[in-house]
Amino acid sequence: MARPIIHHRTPEFSAVLDSARERMRPLFGTRQEVLLLAASGSGAMEAAVTNLLAPGEAAIFVNGGKFGERWGKLLAAHGMTGHEVKVEWGRAVRPEQIHEALRAHPESRAVFMQASETSTCAIHPVNEIAAITRRGEALLVVDGITSVGVFEQKMDEWGVDAFLTGSQKALMLPPGLAMIALSDRALQRTARNRTPRFYFDLNRELKAQRDEHTTAWTPAVSLIFGLNKSLELIHGETLPRVYERHRVMAEATRAAAPALGLKPIAPASPAPGVTGLLVPEGIDSGKIVRMMRDELGVSVQGGQDQMKGRLVRIGHMGYLGPFDMLTAVSALEIALARMGHRFAAGAGVAAVQERIARSV
Ligand SMILES: *Cc1c(COP(=O)(O)O)cnc(C)c1O
């Protein structure tokens, strides 16, 4: 990425673009074209909305946290009707809820959801929802940010119609690049959709990237170089091993919770890319996060909205390995102890180490 920028209308750039797009396919589990957009992940979310729906049309969206809520805001911003399926924070949506929503709102043109709701550290059952949507007219649109590259996705086999992700989570890159793949029926919908759009016109982008081996607009050249390299690393490690590494990191981190007397926010459907732990009554998780970052040099996240002050989120996706979880949990222990929480010192670290030891 530090190489001098080359011009993007060149055979040299086209070769890198083609390679990166091809290498993305197995991460989505698709043979469809993967399109790259110069945007953060939300840009691809907006592209899905404006390319697949028209103003005045209705859709169902799963709201189980901050990112699910964003689907509702995007639909409203474009004059579409969003029928909300509300999910308690930390829970997974139940397929029956989608069933019921589709029955109540049969005019819905799509279902929007997250594969992993990063704000609540929970995963939703995309395959089970897809089994419902692929039998009807409504398309299934999945935000795969913090899922794609973390655990196995089978877009084609499950029947997901639009699948998207961004550069800065599991793909180990700076922010600024988004990826989206569309099923055949989503492509047909996009081709006929009259919604005004320009920068995120996926018809135009498909034609440019598939047929002309370039992007419609000036691409994020350095990020695409970086993507091609990070995908080389991922495929070099092999996808099964990448997914296994994430599984070990997640299980090791979760193993620390009972040892420290902490409850996970999503015990029944924990996300493989990020673990959320509820801090004990009377302790402000924001202070834990700041202490870990500013005094101990370990970066984790707190909670948002209703979880502000109550949740610590430990990310374990991308350029990290199981031993990084020893560091994270060790720093968490020190911060918790300084805040007056009582537990056997080293118990969390021991639990992490025990889980790592079983996998190597
Ligand atoms: C980070 C994240 C986003 C937001 O993407 P931006 O790149 O910040 O626009 C959307 N969805 C999920 C699930 C995320 O984790």
Side-chain angles (χ1 to χ4, degrees):
M1 293 179 63
R3 280 165 56 190
I5 298 293
I6 56 166
H7 195 272
H8 52 282
R9 309 295 185 207
T10 54
E12 190 186 351
F13 175 73
S14 289
V16 178
L17 177 69
D18 286 351
S19 166
R21 294 198 320 108
E22 181 64 34
R23 286 171 172 170
M24 269 308 294
R25 282 174 158 160
L27 278 71
F28 281 114
T30 192
R31 288 306 305 157
Q32 301 296 109
E33 298 290 333
V34 176
L35 303 177
L36 306 187
L37 306 173
S40 81
S42 302
M45 292 173 77
E46 179 150 62
V49 167
T50 56
N51 282 270
L52 297 173
L53 252 72
E57 290 184 341
I60 289 160
F61 69 101
V62 176
N63 180 358
K66 289 303 285 177
F67 295 111
E69 183 182 61
R70 187 167 299 175
W71 283 128
K73 290 182 176 172
L74 277 162
L75 290 166
H78 289 285
M80 296 148 189
T81 303
H83 298 295
E84 179 182 68
V85 172
K86 194 112 180 113
V87 178
E88 194 187 324
W89 279 39
R91 298 289 178 93
V93 68
R94 285 175 294 107
E96 309 87 76
Q97 290 178 282
I98 301 298
H99 233 336
E100 278 161 31
L102 283 167
R103 230 191 346 248
H105 309 287
E107 77 287 6
S108 296
R109 304 277 285 152
V111 174
F112 292 87
M113 66 183 295
Q114 272 61 40
S116 158
E117 175 50 80
T118 321
S119 66
T120 68
C121 309
I123 47 168
H124 293 307
V126 173
N127 53 343
E128 291 172 49
I129 308 293
I132 297 169
T133 52
R134 68 172 181 237
R135 293 199 302 263
E137 287 296 307
L139 303 178
L140 180 61
V141 181
V142 179
D143 165 0
I145 305 172
T146 70
S147 310
V148 172
V150 176
F151 57 103
E152 188 169 29
Q153 310 299 328
K154 300 182 178 178
M155 175 176 168
D156 295 352
E157 192 181 313
W158 295 339
V160 174
D161 293 293
F163 213 165
L164 61 95
T165 192
S167 54
Q168 81 273 27
K169 306 275 174 78
L171 296 173
M172 309 184 279
L173 293 166
L177 196 63
M179 306 82 184
I180 184 166
L182 300 180
S183 69
D184 287 335
R185 65 177 190 163
L187 286 169
Q188 284 162 15
R189 176 85 69 88
T190 303
R192 286 197 301 264
N193 188 359
R194 315 289 298 170
T195 302
R197 55 205 194 272
F198 186 79
Y199 189 73
F200 290 136
D201 182 345
L202 296 182
N203 296 318
R204 189 166 194 151
E205 217 44 82
L206 177 67
K207 192 168 167 297
Q209 297 190 26
R210 180 191 58 196
D211 302 340
E212 293 154 23
H213 306 278
T214 188
T215 50
W217 321 113
T218 302
V221 174
S222 315
L223 286 171
I224 292 173
F225 283 167
L227 176 64
N228 197 36
K229 188 70 195 179
S230 73
L231 291 168
E232 186 187 306
L233 295 176
I234 284 170
H235 291 303
E237 184 177 352
T238 77
L239 277 179
R241 289 207 179 104
V242 168
Y243 299 147
E244 176 64 11
R245 174 164 52 80
H246 285 99
R247 196 167 72 85
V248 172
M249 288 194 288
E251 289 182 5
T253 309
R254 295 203 291 268
L260 299 176
L262 304 179
K263 289 205 160 48
I265 180 180
S269 51
V274 56
T275 294
L277 303 173
L278 296 163
V279 298
E281 277 315 314
I283 292 182
D284 174 5
S285 72
K287 286 198 181 136
I288 301 253
V289 169
R290 283 191 294 279
M291 192 183 285
M292 287 177 71
R293 182 191 61 204
D294 298 339
E295 295 172 36
L296 306 173
V298 173
S299 182
V300 295
Q301 287 298 311
Q304 298 155 286
D305 288 359
Q306 53 183 285
M307 281 298 150
K308 203 168 160 60
R310 298 175 57 200
L311 184 67
V312 170
R313 290 181 295 152
I314 301 177
H316 33 70
M317 63 192 115
Y319 200 72
L320 289 167
F323 285 97
D324 292 311
M325 298 306 110
L326 277 178
T327 307
V329 169
S330 172
L332 177 64
E333 281 199 13
I334 292 170
L336 282 168
R338 284 188 191 168
M339 302 285 291
H341 181 53
R342 297 172 62 124
F343 55 90
V349 171
V352 172
Q353 182 166 312
E354 192 275 328
R355 177 61 191 89
I356 296 173
R358 276 196 284 119
S359 71
V360 287

